[in-house]
Amino acid sequence: MSIEEPKTIKFQLMLSEAEAKAIDDWGFAYRIRSRAEAIRRLCTSALELDAHANAIDEAFGALETQSFSFVERVREVSRHTDPRKNDRLALLATRSSENIFSALNDLTIDLDAALGAALAIRTADTLDKAIEVLRENRRRLQEVSKALADRRAKARAERERLRYVDFQNASRWIEDAVKLSESEIADADEVVINAVKAWLAEAKAIKATREQEDLTREQERQRQQDEAEKSK
């Protein structure tokens, strides 16, 4: 389409009050001079979106696949990382990957709404049916968005609650205790319980130490930042 092309085609367009209000509100928000100009711009925008909808959908599908792969690799590295040396690095990498994935999820939801609109308008028998599909898509996306937000909040809370807890070390405590015990495995209940208690006590002490180290490090970082600000 050329912006130089004269506007010579006229046709009748029937709108509901709600549709007319939505167009007028959109035009007013962007200071568009008339309803006809607003409709032309919306049509141009929709045609442009429709032209690229399939390519956008494929690109985000590939990006989502790569993001899943990246998150899993970071988690795998963090599981096999020596926590005494690289715990903080593994935690930062995991947080970064989760933030990337969260942003991608949010963007995917927004694009799903836009691309779903393009597909519904393309394929529905009537505009009324397309609008019905759009309403259902909007309801579904709202539910998905809420579920994702709840899952992220739960994951963050769990990560902070279990930070510095080495569950692999628990299995080593149990294994060593059972091996050193003279009890038969069928009678090793008390041995295992005592091993778990010993591991838990160690885990609590390690967690408290690491949290104090983090606090000290953060206070020092803040002190250096404050001194840098004062020296400016």
Side-chain angles (χ1 to χ4, degrees), residues 7 16-17 29 32 43 55 71-72 74 100 120-121 127 131 150 177 190 209 231:
K7 310 297 188 290
S16 68
E17 290 187 8
I32 296 172
C43 287
V71 170
E72 287 306 313
V74 169
I100 291 170
I121 291 171
L127 183 58
I131 291 173
D150 291 344
E190 187 174 351
T209 299
S231 63

Side-chain angles (χ1 to χ4, degrees), residues 52-71:
H52 296 282
N54 291 340
I56 292 172
D57 190 42
E58 290 176 6
F60 265 85
L63 183 57
E64 188 171 25
T65 299
Q66 291 298 317
S67 296
F68 269 117
S69 177
F70 175 68
V71 170

Side-chain angles (χ1 to χ4, degrees), residues 6 13-14 37 66 88 96 99 108 112 122 127-129 148-149 159 170 184 206 218 224-225 231:
L13 175 64
M14 303 296 291
E37 176 68 10
Q66 291 298 317
R88 182 171 175 78
S96 296
N99 289 339
T108 300
D112 194 4
R122 258 193 223 163
L127 183 58
D128 287 342
K129 289 184 178 179
L148 286 173
R159 183 178 62 237
E184 293 294 331
I206 292 173
E218 177 60 25
Q224 292 177 357
Q225 183 177 336
S231 63

Side-chain angles (χ1 to χ4, degrees), residues 23-212:
I23 291 171
D24 291 343
D25 289 346
W26 184 85
F28 179 79
Y30 295 100
R31 299 182 180 180
I32 296 172
R33 59 191 177 186
S34 67
R35 180 182 290 171
E37 176 68 10
I39 292 173
R40 277 197 295 271
R41 293 196 188 196
L42 287 169
C43 287
T44 301
S45 176
L47 288 170
E48 187 69 16
L49 171 62
D50 187 75
H52 296 282
N54 291 340
I56 292 172
D57 190 42
E58 290 176 6
F60 265 85
L63 183 57
E64 188 171 25
T65 299
Q66 291 298 317
S67 296
F68 269 117
S69 177
F70 175 68
V71 170
E72 287 306 313
R73 288 180 182 180
V74 169
R75 287 174 179 166
E76 186 66 21
V77 168
S78 67
R79 282 194 290 266
H80 293 85
T81 298
D82 183 351
R84 292 169 299 179
K85 296 180 179 179
N86 297 316
D87 187 77
R88 182 171 175 78
L89 179 61
L91 178 65
L92 290 173
T94 301
R95 283 178 174 173
S96 296
S97 68
E98 289 176 352
N99 289 339
I100 291 170
F101 197 55
S102 294
L104 178 63
N105 277 335
D106 292 340
L107 188 55
T108 300
I109 287 173
D110 290 336
L111 276 174
D112 194 4
L115 298 178
L119 180 62
I121 291 171
R122 258 193 223 163
T123 58
D125 294 335
T126 66
L127 183 58
D128 287 342
K129 289 184 178 179
I131 291 173
E132 185 177 343
V133 170
L134 293 179
R135 285 173 179 164
E136 177 59 24
N137 283 347
R138 186 179 299 112
R139 183 195 63 76
R140 177 179 60 83
L141 291 173
Q142 287 173 343
E143 290 178 354
V144 170
S145 180
K146 183 179 184 305
L148 286 173
D150 291 344
R151 190 184 306 168
R152 290 173 200 159
K154 184 178 179 180
R156 284 193 297 269
E158 182 179 278
R159 183 178 62 237
E160 290 304 316
R161 181 171 60 87
L162 302 178
R163 189 177 177 186
Y164 301 130
V165 178
D166 184 358
F167 287 98
Q168 291 181 352
N169 198 31
S171 65
R172 290 193 292 270
W173 271 91
I174 294 172
E175 181 180 353
D176 291 345
V178 171
K179 285 180 178 179
L180 293 172
S181 170
E182 296 181 359
S183 303
E184 293 294 331
I185 191 67
D187 302 319
D189 300 51
E190 187 174 351
V191 172
V192 172
I193 291 172
N194 289 336
V196 171
K197 288 180 178 179
W199 164 76
L200 188 57
E202 181 188 68
K204 289 178 180 179
I206 292 173
K207 182 174 174 62
T209 299
R210 297 285 177 81
E211 288 176 342
Q212 183 58 49

